[in-house]
Amino acid sequence: MAVTDVNTDDDSNTNNTCDKNKESNEPADFEKAINEAGFGLFNLLLLFVAIPATLANVFSTTTMAYILPIAECDLRLTLFNKGMLNAATYAGMIASAIVWGYLADTQGRKKILVVGYLADAVCVVCSSLSQNFVMLVSFKFLGGLIVNGPGAVLFTYLTELHGSKHRPRVLMILGMVQSFGTLILPILAWLVLPRDWEFKIEEFNVHTWQIFLFICALPSLVTGLMLMLLPESPKFLMSQGRNMEALRAFQKIYAFNKRKPRTSYPIKHLIEEVPTRDTNANDVIFTIENKLQSADSEAAASHKPKRPHRSMSQSLHEGWQQARPMFQKPLLSKSLHVYLMQFCILLGLNTIRLWLPQLFASIAEFEHEFAGTDESANLCVILDYSVNKTATAIATYTGECTANKDVSVDTYLNNIIVSIVGLVGYCFAGLIVRALGPKRLLTYGLLISGILGFSLFWSNSGLTTLIISSLFITVCSISTSSLLGMVVAIFPTTLRLD
């Protein structure tokens, strides 16, 4: 009897072993494969790389705001020139959006990230060598053309290297890093720009603001070099029919996380995910044709169907097929409503945010000029004074600039305070959303932001401007996040482009 029990147990164990082997030999989809790779050292390394990458994205759009007051005389900047410098990066981003979308979909995530960030580093270094306004605005526009690609692909790359369980946390961490980036930049400006680090190499002038720009190129350079060591997105590789390469990427992740040989990775085969491109009027997303690979056919692995190469016109056509329902009833009215709201919110938010260092510099200059007097004025009068003084200085320029060297340190400290207030506000944003709800938060937030924006007109000191602008930027930023959350709830998931 005992012998029979032993045999029964052996048969049971043998069956379980066979079942496990059978499961490991079955082709796995992406979610199963990435979950088997685990979460560990590789993911921490990935998040570490994301820190300088996120800083590079923040620096690319904001650095100009901090050098405008100190570079005013060196570059002979008018008010219009300053506006051009602030807008140049965004103009480049708009011009390159479609091209980068096509390249990311055909060339791969890693290649776009590595080439994009290294090219951005070169572009920022070139901008730091600028000797006049034309050179600087040209390189800032070129920088916008370049950084738009890796900046957008970064989020896709990070989410495609994490399972569904960890993706929300990854996005939350990225949001926190971005908030810290807005804080680090004014701290860096405070540490560098007030210093007297100017010298001349033959006919080449080097100013403090150029050193500041050169330092701002380091995050892009570090990111590009570190990304060379990371694998391509296995999700992208599977979508291209390159399953053997995707499997090697999974094995590399597994080896890092589990501290085991790559050959011990339990998944041996991946399902085929070759998109079919036949769309009609009712199709708004690509369909996936899942073809199971035979477990014992190693030769077939090298003849997997690959995703056909698409031209730019095909990509644009398919993108239009996906986005077309947004411009048709019943979604047209909602789309226009959301687009208009987003445009107006960002217009107000970025106008104040990008001009804030210049505002604080102009107020400090006005207060210093009329210290000890009863002179008081609203913000418009202060700005008129600053603009007229700048125009006079440029018209009477005779040699070395000295007026712009005395930018008040409070200018940078005030921007640090604004960033800290915004960071604290984001920490409590989740509680506020749960208490009020997204719609009420959006409604009340935009009303309060509007009132704060109008009240800046009557601001007549650096302190009141600091308080009002801090609250405006914080409330407006939280409202923007609330609007994006509402968009997810309003529009069908089939209209979210991958």
Side-chain angles (χ1 to χ4, degrees), residues 49-50 52-54 56 110-121 150 154 217-230:
V49 174
T54 306
K110 179 181 175 180
K111 184 181 293 186
I112 295 299
L113 289 170
V114 172
V115 175
Y117 279 117
L118 291 180
D120 180 62
L154 176 67
L218 294 179
S220 296
L221 177 62
V222 171
T223 301
L225 295 176
M226 294 179 70
L227 282 167
M228 290 180 179
L229 305 176
L230 298 178

Side-chain angles (χ1 to χ4, degrees), residues 216-430:
C216 289
L218 294 179
S220 296
L221 177 62
V222 171
T223 301
L225 295 176
M226 294 179 70
L227 282 167
M228 290 180 179
L229 305 176
L230 298 178
E232 176 60 273
S233 163
K235 179 71 172 176
F236 169 78
L237 294 174
M238 291 179 68
S239 71
Q240 301 292 306
R242 297 156 60 182
N243 280 12
M244 294 303 294
E245 296 177 54
L247 188 59
R248 286 194 291 269
F250 283 125
Q251 290 172 342
K252 185 175 182 179
I253 299 171
Y254 173 84
F256 265 92
N257 289 338
K258 302 293 187 177
R259 307 290 204 285
K260 295 180 180 179
R262 298 185 184 186
T263 54
S264 63
Y265 179 59
I267 302 298
K268 304 303 180 183
H269 305 282
L270 301 172
I271 66 171
E272 296 292 344
E273 291 187 355
V274 182
T276 60
R277 297 300 179 184
D278 298 329
T279 57
N280 53 52
N282 297 322
D283 290 332
V284 292
I285 59 172
F286 300 145
T287 59
I288 301 296
E289 209 179 341
N290 295 330
K291 301 177 180 180
L292 297 180
Q293 177 188 6
S294 174
D296 57 351
S297 179
E298 296 295 336
S302 61
H303 296 89
K304 295 175 181 178
K306 292 189 176 182
R307 175 176 173 174
H309 180 72
R310 293 184 297 152
S311 64
M312 175 71 79
S313 61
Q314 287 176 318
S315 297
L316 293 176
H317 175 73
E318 289 161 3
W320 169 246
Q321 289 296 324
Q322 292 185 353
R324 186 169 58 179
M326 301 286 289
F327 301 94
Q328 296 175 340
K329 293 182 179 180
L331 297 178
L332 178 60
S333 60
K334 294 180 181 179
S335 300
L336 293 177
H337 193 181
V338 169
Y339 300 154
L340 181 60
M341 288 183 65
Q342 186 79 347
F343 174 80
C344 293
I345 292 173
L346 292 179
L347 177 64
L349 175 62
N350 285 330
T351 298
I352 300 298
R353 183 178 67 86
L354 295 177
W355 282 102
L356 207 53
Q358 181 65 54
L359 288 178
F360 285 132
S362 298
I363 292 172
E365 186 180 29
F366 183 87
E367 290 177 343
H368 176 75
E369 184 73 19
F370 296 97
T373 66
D374 296 331
E375 185 73 24
S376 179
N378 59 38
L379 191 61
C380 289
V381 174
I382 295 175
L383 291 179
D384 283 339
Y385 163 80
S386 177
V387 171
N388 292 333
K389 185 174 181 180
T390 300
T392 302
I394 293 175
T396 58
Y397 173 79
T398 56
E400 295 296 328
C401 293
T402 55
N404 65 320
K405 313 304 180 189
D406 298 325
V407 175
S408 174
V409 176
D410 292 339
T411 298
Y412 308 108
L413 294 178
N414 288 342
N415 282 280
I416 293 173
I417 294 173
V418 171
S419 299
I420 292 175
V421 172
L423 185 59
V424 172
Y426 265 114
C427 293
F428 292 97

Side-chain angles (χ1 to χ4, degrees), residues 139-212:
F139 282 120
K140 288 306 296 181
F141 177 79
L142 184 59
L145 284 173
I146 294 172
V147 80
N148 190 35
V153 173
L154 176 67
F155 287 85
T156 303
Y157 181 72
L158 291 176
T159 55
E160 288 181 351
L161 285 171
H162 290 85
S164 56
K165 177 182 177 181
H166 300 287
R167 282 177 200 143
R169 299 176 187 175
V170 171
L171 294 176
M172 180 186 69
I173 293 173
L174 281 180
M176 294 176 61
V177 173
Q178 192 161 4
S179 298
F180 276 110
T182 61
L183 174 61
I184 291 174
L185 188 58
I187 293 177
L188 183 62
W190 172 61
L191 293 173
V192 175
L193 292 178
R195 306 292 180 258
D196 186 16
W197 294 342
E198 304 201 1
F199 53 91
K200 190 171 184 179
I201 303 176
E202 295 182 356
E203 298 299 321
F204 188 83
N205 295 314
V206 178
H207 306 283
T208 307
W209 58 268
Q210 292 173 301
I211 298 175
F212 173 73

Side-chain angles (χ1 to χ4, degrees), residues 413-476:
L413 294 178
N414 288 342
N415 282 280
I416 293 173
I417 294 173
V418 171
S419 299
I420 292 175
V421 172
L423 185 59
V424 172
Y426 265 114
C427 293
F428 292 97
L431 297 175
I432 299 173
V433 171
R434 283 193 288 270
L436 297 178
K439 185 175 181 180
R440 287 184 179 179
L441 175 60
L442 182 63
T443 303
Y444 298 154
L446 293 180
L447 286 174
I448 294 173
S449 299
I451 294 172
L452 291 170
F454 279 115
S455 64
L456 275 174
F457 176 82
W458 292 279
S459 175
N460 57 6
S461 68
L463 179 61
T464 56
T465 303
L466 173 62
I467 295 173
I468 295 173
S469 59
S470 298
L471 294 175
F472 172 83
I473 290 177
T474 301
V475 176
C476 200

